[in-house]
Amino acid sequence: MPNTYLKKYLTVQENLIRNIKVNSIVNIYKSLAKTSKKNKVFVFGNGGSAAVASHFALDLTNNSYIKCLTFSDMSMMTCLSNDYGYENFISKYLDMYGDKGDVLILISSSGNSKNVVNAYKKAHKLKFRDIFTFTGFNKKSSLSRISKNNIWIDSKNYNQVENLHQICLLSIVDLFKKYKK
């Protein structure tokens, strides 16, 4: 039975990956490649998506000259969440560290995480150069509806969505490795 389950699971994963628009990934790569030394790239998610964000930030910084940041300092997260509400802690990070011309990447499997949606709105207000989003589940989620640059995975399975978000993001790192700035 595990063999049958995994074959079916991987077939679904294969079909989902075929539906990802390669141009959307290339657009993110091109945007990041235009990032100046004075600007930064921020990437955020919740739970498993926060781990994906952290992995991407680490690998992008290590393989390019881009300052890619995600904040995972628990004392700062709990401070900002306590003082401004969990739904605003990412927005507050952006207020403190973001500058006009920066780039933001947001990851939310549901596309309805209030802290991520609020971060999108804050980055827009701060005049970030580009904002990219990764969602799954419902194509008409809060984040999908407001985003002009969204990669949506047509699945309601968290692991499938998060795995494909990670594949998309790490393929951008591989583009930097292949075509160094």
Side-chain angles (χ1 to χ4, degrees), residues 16-164:
L16 290 170
I17 203 165
R18 281 196 177 118
N19 290 322
I20 295 171
K21 293 177 175 75
V22 172
N23 284 343
S24 297
I25 298 169
V26 171
N27 287 340
I28 298 170
Y29 165 74
K30 286 179 178 178
S31 173
L32 297 180
K34 291 189 290 187
T35 302
S36 71
K37 290 194 185 269
K38 70 175 189 154
N39 289 114
K40 302 165 291 301
V41 174
F42 294 93
V43 58
F44 293 102
N46 293 306
S49 294
V52 171
S54 180
H55 187 171
F56 174 70
L58 169 76
D59 282 3
L60 183 66
T61 300
N62 191 39
N63 289 285
S64 71
Y65 293 103
I66 297 168
K67 294 178 255 179
C68 187
L69 306 166
T70 190
F71 294 97
S72 54
D73 179 337
M74 286 302 292
S75 58
M76 180 69 106
M77 287 173 63
T78 56
C79 170
L80 296 179
S81 294
N82 184 62
D83 291 356
Y84 303 99
Y86 186 77
E87 68 278 4
N88 295 310
F89 91 90
I90 298 173
S91 299
K92 201 62 186 166
Y93 272 130
L94 297 178
D95 252 347
M96 296 169 140
Y97 297 101
D99 296 301
K100 180 179 178 181
D102 287 344
V103 175
L104 177 63
I105 298 172
L106 296 167
I107 311 164
S108 174
S109 294
S110 72
N112 290 316
S113 303
K114 285 187 181 189
N115 61 347
V116 174
V117 172
N118 290 341
Y120 183 98
K121 293 173 182 175
K122 176 59 75 174
H124 191 269
K125 193 181 278 188
L126 293 171
K127 300 200 182 318
F128 274 39
R129 180 172 43 86
D130 286 313
I131 307 169
F132 299 99
T133 60
F134 288 81
T135 61
F137 298 10
N138 181 351
K139 195 169 190 170
K140 296 188 189 274
S141 68
S142 299
L143 192 57
S144 297
R145 281 185 286 144
I146 63 174
S147 179
K148 295 178 181 128
N149 301 300
N150 183 57
I151 293 178
W152 176 67
I153 306 301
D154 186 10
S155 175
K156 291 184 179 6
N157 179 308
Y158 271 104
N159 287 334
Q160 287 179 321
V161 172
E162 289 172 352
N163 282 333
L164 291 174

